[in-house]
Every structure is written in structure tokens, then in C-alpha cells.
Amino acid sequence: MRIPCPHCGERDVAEFRYGGDASNVRPSHGSGDLKQWHDYKFIFDNPQGPHLEYWQHVYGCRQWFKLNRNTATNEIVGGER
Amino acid sequence: MTAFKRIDKPSHINRTKQISFQFDGKMFNGFVGDTLASALLANGKTLLGRSFKYHRPRGIIGAGIEESNALLTTGSDGRTEPNTISTTAELKSGITAKSQNAWPSLNFDLMAVNQLLSPIFGAGFYYKTFMGPLKKSWMMYEPIIRKAAGLGAAVPDVDSARYEMRYMFCDVLIIGSGPAGLAAAVTAARSGARVVLVEQDFEFGGSILSSGSEELERWRKAQIAELEKSPEVRLLKRTTAQGIYDQNLAVLSLTPENHPALKITEQLRARTIIMATGAIERPLVFANNDRPGVMLASALRTYLNRFSVVPKKRAVIVTNNDSAYSTAFDLAENDVAVTVAEHRGTLSGNLLARAAQLGIAIFPNCGIADVIGEKQMRGVRLSGRHAVTIECDVLGMSGGWSPAVHLTSHGGIKPKYNEQIAAFIPGGFAKSHFGAGAINGTFGLLAAIREGDAAARAALPDSKKIKEFDLPAVREDRKYSIQPIWNAAEKSNEKYAFVDFQNDVTVKDIKGAHQEGYFSVEHLKRYTTLGMGTDQGKTSNVNALAMMADLRGLPLSQAGTTTFRPPYSPMTVGAIAARSVGLRFKPKRLSPLHDWHVAHGATFIEAGLWMRAWFYDWAGKTPEEAYIKEMELVRQNVGISDVSSLGKIDVQGSDAAEFLNRIYVNGFAKLPVGRARYGVMLNDDGVVLDDGTTSRITDTKFYMTTTTAQAGEVMSWLEYLLQMHWTDLNVHVTSLTDEWGGMAVSGPNSRRALQLAFPEIDITNEALPYMGVIEFKFEGVEVRVLRLSFSGELAYEVHCSADYTTALWEHILKAAELLGIKPYGLEALASLRIEKGHVAGADLDHRNTLDDLGLGKMAGKDKAYIGKELRFREDCQAPERWSLVGIESMEEGAKLRGGAILFAATDEIKGHGRGYITSVTWSTELNKYIALALYNGGLKHEGEDIICAFPLKNENVKARIVSPHFIDKQGERLHA
Amino acid sequence: MAKGYSIFSLAKHALRPSEPWPEAWEKPVPKSSYDVIIIGGGGHGLATAYYLAKDHGVKNIAVLEKSYIGSGNVGRNTTLIRSNYMIGGNTAFFEKSMQLWEGLSHELNFNCMVSHRGQMTLAVSPGQVDAFARRGNTMRLNGIDAELLDRNEVMKELPYLDFSKEARFPIHGAIHQPRAGTVRHDAVAWGYARAASQLGVHIIENCEVSAILRDGDKVVGVETSRGKILSNKIGIAVAGHTSHVAAMAGLRLPVESHILQAFVTEPVKPIVHHVVSWGAELFYLSQSDKGGMVFGGHIDGFNTYTQRGQFHRIQNVMECATTLLPFMSRMRLLRHWGGIQDMTPDGSPFICKTPIDGLYLNGGWCYQGFKATPASGTTFAYMIANDQEHELTGGFSLDRFEKGKELDEYGIGNWIYKQ
């Protein structure tokens, strides 16, 4: 797989680390109760299809970004800073 | 008796270059241009191996990658390779080859008795027996059955070969150099695109090499010559495209000719891929169709036209399509007597006329009833109304052709059945993939060339400008005219009509699988082992699927197909691992002080990727001996230790204090400049992520240290928070782990040592109190001195740029030499901290909460911090959680051991216990074994007697729960 | 106990080829309703149906499989079984599984080739020896077999490993579980299917569930590609696709789907007589009875439902193989494939009730689905039959993350942020 780093361009997936589902909304710092943090941290849609997710170009520019990838095909729809 | 001979006809072998080789201990000769198989055939060797299950004698079936029988062990000692495919192995001088899976010898194999048991030994046999008499009876049978496993043998010698991995890019990758592939490559090359042409053979040309046509040979050479002149073209012979992975990553296996590496794996990123992978001929399935001498018809043609090897006198061809007549005619033209058993009833006039001209007898409406002969066939009995027996040297069979659709299948596209050619073709091509020639079911040569040219034009932008293509001057393509016949055995239950040769799967096995309900393609394969051999069913899959479809009464198009998985052909494991093995498996991270340690008697130990100085020979020869002396040095005088592997992160920005205040459980907002603070950070789930010390250098600049193990995790985590969530904070983090080095100077004399080293600097207790930080320039080098202690003694950490770490280290050693300062290693470092009750890697894993480590009180009550919400989940606060305690041995001389399970003195020693020992040391201060442990309820049980159970060594040691702070509970030494 | 296969019946069929073997499992037309429906004809689903019929007297059971039985992970794993678990909620469950494996071929009258050849897990640091000791001690204290070996003992047993100075991570010792080993994976699916079928269970292949039908908070049936089928008790056992099926009942779960790749080499004569696994990196290898080396490593590491692995993971696994077992360099990789597995935040599974009445969940198996098959089947059957938890599966609940009762067997935490 090739991941388009929004800063460096397309690179092999081996240069990246995966950061999981980016569609769950993180409660802002100091807010949110146990249930909200639980749902944010542990519960996923896990769709077979388009999936918004975090990646870090860890062996490159070290920038994190969000990527829209189809989990059914591994086709990449796009990345955003 | 030999069945084959070499004739004088010109071909692709170079008769001026004779080479000798060894097979089963005897020497033979061949020529440059031969394969191992063609050279063996030329020498009359037809019995080359034994089959997997029945140990039936087997010879050569094919002339290429599809070969399922003629596998040999090649090489010797450190270069031995089992299961080499003799039909693709290039003949090299001095090569040694051995037959496989025969005992005691190829000619007389005792295991062939398995054939007598074949009525029982059918598909699924193992699943129905060997179950008794006892529960674990399989353990009795397995070793015997395992002995029969495998074909060749693996050799445990160290592999002396070198392997390489490389990474490349191109615009157009063309897989296969037959007529379609050559045409595609030339058209693509004319566009100026970066082209890679891949050919698994050691010659370009594919089917042209077997054609015997001078005009095609002229055309082939012209195309190659043009490609060789094109600067952007890479021509890769001896290269197999093994798989196509996501986003056009093609993985190629190369066996280079003039390169120190035995094999190279190339990861090629191609913008477009043209698959011109050709087709593989199918055998016909009839009784004893596995006898040596029974071969694919196309293979006979290859041996004739490419290698000048022909059957000695007489050949029979059996076919259901026109393609086999090329073989029949070519053989006849070379003085081999040919008879054709033709499954079809009617043939075209042209064929009949030419056959008559060449004196070829054709028996229509018949196939082969049986093959006569065992280790070498001697004749065939025709089926149908002819029922005659014909003596012959070889039998060439053609059941039609199967397009090599494997690579399209890797991407998840299912092949589809094409009725007209009775074969599976690609169910489509992915975007940027194209097919040309036989892979599409286009079996004619001129048609394939035209498709190759068209595919290249489709793959390229602006293709109209590319020069038109030259076709060879040959007659129009012959028709294919197949009439499928999947099971040509006379008896529907024929036990020796083989579908999968290597795995000995017969018509009877397929029928059995059907009767027992193993209908689905995958069940059929898994139950009978069909297609599971080294050839991965290249010749057997389609015949088997069709037979099953027939048995089920389904059209083949509805019966489903098998999924082809990479690699296309077996791929050497070492060539994928390439050079990242052994010492180079993972990089070694070295401290800037590493060379000094090496020069001064350090023994090293792996700590993650780091190599750390474990102990020094001044203190002893073994770690057990040395760490005690090194500990005494620190407790009584002063030692110096390398802590460069600690994670070091520079945190800067106007919001740096706020940032740290959020990620640590304890407060950092008000940390004064010039002070350091110990902090603990949690994950979102409230479990401890890491601990370390962070110092405030200026108002907006902090220096964070993390544990060695978690440095990378912490760095990524901080970046994640800043870049994805807290984008409003003005903070930058930079890893200094490799840029800075550090050393701990510890012991009651440490201040004196530093005063000797830096006489200009005021490091009195007042100027640099406990948890104080100073920064100064020493001989122009920026030096940071942090007064903190892991050992519990008066101690400092001295950090500076990695370039100067060794100089600074040597300077301190020299300046404080009179005090008796010496280096101490990781074992002593880790033991000193146990005495002090500091947790470290061994005590920490993702199961520990802040409270488990006795650090709950550190957390700010009124401040927000990461992990706060989930930290208070019900079970994370349960009173019976296992939390940190100290343990001291109550048995003189009895050792405490890491991993011991703890029980209260009155407990039955059974179950999961109440905790376990995380780390252990001999305490030089207390003169006994002490340990840190996690224990149910923690220090509530201080003073209680416990048992440390270690059943793996049958030990139960009496011990007592104590405070984890074994020494200097008041911290007087720290503050001295 | 199932019946019909023995050396005598083999001989009889050999002598009388005109009498064919019966179908291993029947292929009935689905009825309009059942007492229990199990969604998923993999190892766990088939085992559950078998134990429901055998131990709980449930007569009217259907297993609905969207493809052919065993088409999921039961036929895609590396066939290892072991019971070396040390966390309270795990130890007894996986040991129960091991005990069931021991008698499984007899029980099912189907030779699953349960091979107790032993597993050697190699420690690469003194700290790892301690960690393995904790595991081994806990196993022994719970009646499970375990031995601690030092470097020399390992060298004697596994002479083909790299004991040279060139070893990047020298071997310090090993923990050995003699009863661990391998099982012929497909046979487990077929054996359970055949035994369940003999007890009247309907195994319905090519039957894809498209909706879970509810009446308020209760399940009443499913919509399938072969029509509507009613039942008041439905068990989900579709690991890999758990989120997808649970979503049909409106549930969101602590599960993500990841690919785990597996590898097999060409067959060679026996050389590796144990299951070998490594402490330097997740890596495990055994040699099949047919002679191929069967091995694997980590998941690829990102959500995917494609069964296609990434090549850089393949590289990594080949590097592990060649580094630990140098002779592997000359072996040839014959085939590699991927399975989609449920990953949970703590690496442990679910066998539990759901907020919906009559809907039961079995999934989240991460790396350990295959070895758990028999115990998963018995305990899930118990739960469905009695509408209550089995004592061995109390920890495998959906609410454990809310309560902070993670079952983190290896102490690695949430794998999402791990590399």
C-alpha cells in the first residue's frame, strides 16, 4: 500500500504508523465523563467501506494526518492535514 | 533402454559450450542453453523422482514452471536447495542434483508398497482412522506418518548464499516476453516510457522459443535488439513476477547471472502493468497418465525445437484440440514416428492433409485407455473402438490450455469461465492493469502480438504518436477448436488416473470427495490436498474443478473457482528476508559512549534495540559477581554510568508548561526555572504510560526524559496530541535522544567528583539542591547538570551533545581519578534502584495503574490530566488490586526469583496467588535478597509473612512484605 | 459421540467400492424456524451447535454460513493450540480448551490430528526469562504443564536455531508447554459439522444473513439469502466480521477488523519437531505433518477487510524466520494468505449476552480463536441454553472496558498505538 502523506507525497506504508479510527470525537481536555471517554476510546463503527483514520509519517516528516481509506478495498480516497 | 536422444537439429543450445553435471552421483554432459531437465532427457534419464503419497515412479511432465514431478535437490552443503524445478533450472557447470522422496533408491523404492494400500488410502483417509485406542493415540501414529512427509530434505547448515532486496519504479511493467509481451514492450519502449520487461525463463521469447520457426526467431531477435537499445528499458530475464500487491506493487524474484547475490527480490512500483503471462497446457486424465514418458504435448515440442531432444523412435499424441498438432508435425518432420489419438470426431481438412503428408496416423474418437510400462512407459492402449496397443517411447497429451490468470487473482478478481475455449480467463483487470495474448484466451500468435501492441497503447498516454508495429511474416494463426474432456479415464472410478500428480490426487479421490459432500472448491482442495503441492495446481486445478462440476451436475461457470494466492512460484525465504537477518535483523542502537565501553572491558546486553553496558571487568567476570562490587562503589564512594539511552525530548513554546501540565498527572504549570520534577503520564485509558523527569530550563523551554523502552511511544503520543487535538497550543517537541548523551554520577562522593571536574562551577547544595538543574558552558560545550538520583544516593546526571559525551565522560573520570571513580553498568543501576524502591521496566507493564505503583497521591486532585476520567473506573480503584510492595527473604541463602508467585503464609499454594515478584537483587546494604513485587492489597500487608512459590524449580521461599524503600527512607542521602 | 469412521469401516469400503461413504454432513433445506440459530459456520459456530445438541438436548438448531463451512479463520490460521495463559479470567478457560482438544478426535469420531508436540517460547533477555517464569509458575500452580529451559537445554532440543555470536537477540532460555501443539485446522470444522449433523443440527451453507429481526428488545429471527428464518435465540460467531453482523442488531462494539497473514513453505522431511515461538518479536512456526513450515507473525496493523496482506509485513516475517532458524533461508515460500480477525482493545474475546434479549455474542478472538474453539463452543452453548454465563467466561464481557476489568494477557495495552 502507498500512503499519501499530505506533507511529503506518496510513500510506502512501511514508513507510517497507524493511529486508529479518527471518526470518534475526542472529548476536549478536562471535559467528558467516564462514559464519554469509554465510548471514544473503546467503541468503533469498524465499517467495511470508507474509514477515516489517523496515520503518522513516523519514518519521514513525523506529521500525523487523517486519511480516508476504504477498508473493503484498501483504496485511498484522500488525506487531510 | 532410453526413450530420448539428442539430434543435430539447430536450436537454442550452444553446442560449442559443453558442460558437465552430476545426477544421483553420476556425471553427465549437457550444453549451455539446456535446462537440467532437457540435459537429463538428452542423456536418456526419464525416471527422476517418486510421488508424494504412493511413491510412484515419476519423470518429467512439462518444460517449464508448471512441472509437478521432476523436482530435484540441487547444490550441496551450505547451498543445498530441495525441490528445485528441473524444467526451469538453467544447466550450470558443476551442478549437482539428486532425486527425492525415494528410499532406499530411486529405482527401488520400498515406500511404493503404499500403492498396495491405495484402496484404503484414498482422499480423507487420515481423517477416518488413527484415532484409537487411546485419547492421545495420534501421538503414536504421527511420528511414523511424519517420516513419510516432505519431498526433499532441509539442511540445517548455515546458508552461504547472499540475497538482496531492491526497490524500483517504472511506468510500464510487462510480465512475460512471449509474442504479446515482446510486442507490448517494444511499443511501450518507443513511447520513451520507463519500461520493465520480466521473463521467468533465461531466454526472452516465450512460446517462440519452442516454435522452431526461423522467421519467428528473426522477429524475436529484432525485438530484443530494439529493446536493448532503448535507454529507459530494463530487461529482466530469470525473473518471476510473484505477486501484485495493493497499489501496483509487483514483487519480482530474480536469479541474476553476474552478481554476487544468489537471488534478488525487487519491489517494483509500476504505474501500469501489462500481463502477458501466457497459458499452461492441461494434462488429460486417464489410467496411469503419470508414467515416466507421459508428458504435455507442448513440452515435447519445446524439447525438440529448443533443446534438440526427441523421443527415440515413436511418439503417441493424445489431444482434444488443434494445438497438439504443432507437436505432432514437428516431431514427424524430425523423423519421429507419430500416431495421434484424437478425442474429437472431426478435424479440419488442413490438419488431415498435413498429417497424411507426414505419415501420421490419426485415430479419431478415442483417447488412452492405459499406459504400459512402469519406470518408463513402453506403449499405450487406445480407448474406444480402436482398443489397439501401440508401442512408443513417449506419450504427449493435450487437454487444452489454461490462461495464467494468477496475477489478476491476487488483487481479488475472480476468473470467469469462457465456454468457447473451455478455460478460465481473468474476470477483469484492475484499473491500470491490462492483459495481452494467451492470458485473455487469445491463443493465436499474430493475435497475441496485436493484443500486446494494443495493451501498451492503452497503458500509455498519447499512444497515437507511437510508430506502427512490425508483424512477423508467418501464416495466419491455426484454429484452437477445443472440445473439452475433463475426465478421459475409461472407468469413472479409475484409481490411477491422476489429476494432481505431485500430491497423488486421482479421479477416484475427487469422486470420493463429492460423495462425502466436500463440494465447494476449497473443500475439495483441502480434503484431497489437490493443488496444494509445490506447483500449486498449475496443471490440475481446472481439470479437478470441472470434474466436480460434472459430478454436481452444474455448469462449470457456476461451480466457482479457486483463489490463487501469491507467490506465483515458490519463492526462496532468504531472498525475501534479504540482508535483514542475523546481526542485521534489527539495527543496534549504540550510545555515544559505546566505543569507550568496548575499550574498557564492558560486557553488553540487549535492551530493546539498544546495546547497553551490562557490567565492567574491573568488577568481575560474571554479572552476578560484578554488579555487587559496582553497587558497593556507588553506595560507598562514587561511580559513573551511561544513561544515554533515556528518551530525551526538548519541549519548547509559550504553552509548554500548560502542555506538560496536561500530559503529566502531577502539576508542571508552576515548576520554577532551574528545577526538575518527576512526572508520570497515563494513557487515555488511565493506565500508566511512562515516567521520567522533566526540567524547566527557561520559562518556555523544558527538557523531558523518558524511559528507554517508551521513548518512541511517548514522542509519537506527544506529536499526536499537539498535531491532531491541541492545535491551539504553541508547543514544539523535538527528540534529542540521539543528539544528546547522558551520564549518572552517583554516590556520596559525587559532588566532590563534579567539583573536581568543573572547579569553576558552584555546585554546592545551596546552588544546586536536590531536583535542581544548572546549565553552563565547559570548554565551549553546553553542559546540563541535573541533580537527581535513581540509586537513592547523592547523585547527578550530566548531559551534553552526543559529540562531546565521550570527552566529558573521560574528563570526569580523569578529574575524579583520585577519588577512585569507576564506571558501573546496567545490572548495578537496576539493582540500586530496587533498593531505593524506584519502579522500572520490569515492574511496569500496561496492566499497572498509578495507584498500583503507590503513586496515586501524586495526581493533582483539581487539575485535568490525560487518563483522569478512565483512571477512576470501578475495577481500577478496587482495594484488592495488586500493587507495589517490597519483599525481603526470610530464609538465609535462599534466593528470591523474578516471576515467583506470592501467597500468604497460610494459603494453599495453588491458583493465581496474591501477586508476583517483578524484580530481584542482592542488597549489599541489607545483606540479603530483596525484591519488588505486586501484591494483592499492597502495603496494607506490610510486615506479613508470605511464600514465594517457584514451582518450575520446586522452590517455596519464605519472605516478608516490607516497604519498597529499602534504604534511606527519609531521603537524607538525596538531600545531602 | 459421533460414529462411522474406523479402520474397519475403511476396510469395508475398500473391499466394497460400490458402497459409497455417506455425506460427512447433510445439506438440508432451511426450515422456517429453529429453536436456536447460530450465525457463522466456522469452528466456533459449529462447535457451539454440536455442544448445544449433545450437552443441552437442544434438537432444533441451524448453523447459517454465508459461504462454505470453515471458510473463515478456522481454515486460515497456523493451527496452534496451547494453554499458557496466566491472567485470572483466561487460565482456566484455555486449559479447558486444551483438555477438550485432547479427546476431540475420539469425541467427534474424526481424526483432527491433535498433535501434542510441545511449544517452545524462546526468551531473549534475562528479564524475559523472569516474565516467562511468572507465566510458567502460574500455569503449574493451576495444574497446567510447563517447564523452564536454560540456553543449553534449548540448544539440545532445537539445535537448528541460531546459537552463534551472530545472533542479534541471543537465546537465554525457553518456556516449554509439552501438551501444546498443532491440530489439522480444517478437520476441526468438518469434524464438528459431521458430529453436529449426526445429532440433527442443520448446517446451511451459502446462506448469508442480511438482517437480524427484532420485536422490541428481543430477537425473533433473521433475514437471509435463503429467506426469512425465525428463532428466539441467536448466537453470533462470525469473528472477523463481528462488527458487521452486530450492527444488524444496532450494536457498536469494542472490535476492529484486522488482517493476520500466514505462510507455508514447500514440504521437506521433518526437521522441526515442536512449535517454536519467539520473544524478540511475535513469531511462531511449526512443521505440518505434510512437511511444510507453517508460520506467522503480527497483524498488518490497520483496519481492513481485504484478505490481502502487505508485503512489508511479509518481509518482516521472513526476516524473523531466517534470523531465528537460519536453515529457513533456503526453504521456499509456497503460499501466503490472510485472515480477517476481530481485534479488541485488550486482546481478549467476548462470550457474552448483549443488551438485546436472545442475542448472544461470541467474537473478538484476536490471535487466539483457533486454540479456543472447543472451550468457546461448550461455554457459548451453555450460555445460549441457560441464558446465563458459564463460570469460565465471566471475564469475557462487553462491559469490561467500562469497568476497568481489561484482560490484558500480555500487558501490551491498546495495540492501536503499538508498532
Side-chain angles (χ1 to χ4, degrees), chain B residues 142 146 149, chain C residues 117 182 264 267-268 286-294:
Chain B
E142 187 181 46
R146 260 166 76 83
Chain C
R117 58 182 67 177
T182 62
V264 65
V268 290
S286 68
Q287 185 173 15
S288 76
D289 285 341
K290 212 169 159 253
M293 304 294 164
V294 180

Side-chain angles (χ1 to χ4, degrees), chain B residues 119 123 128 492-493 508-519 527 551, chain C residues 4-5 9-24 194:
Chain B
K128 298 190 181 94
S492 70
N493 211 14
K508 190 183 166 204
D509 292 324
I510 292 175
K511 197 171 171 197
H514 175 257
Q515 279 166 355
E516 295 186 46
Y518 295 90
F519 291 167
Y527 194 61
L551 290 166
Chain C
Y5 290 162
S9 67
L10 273 165
K12 194 182 92 185
H13 280 275
L15 294 170
R16 293 220 216 92
S18 58
E19 271 179 45
W21 291 98
E23 280 186 344
R194 177 171 168 271

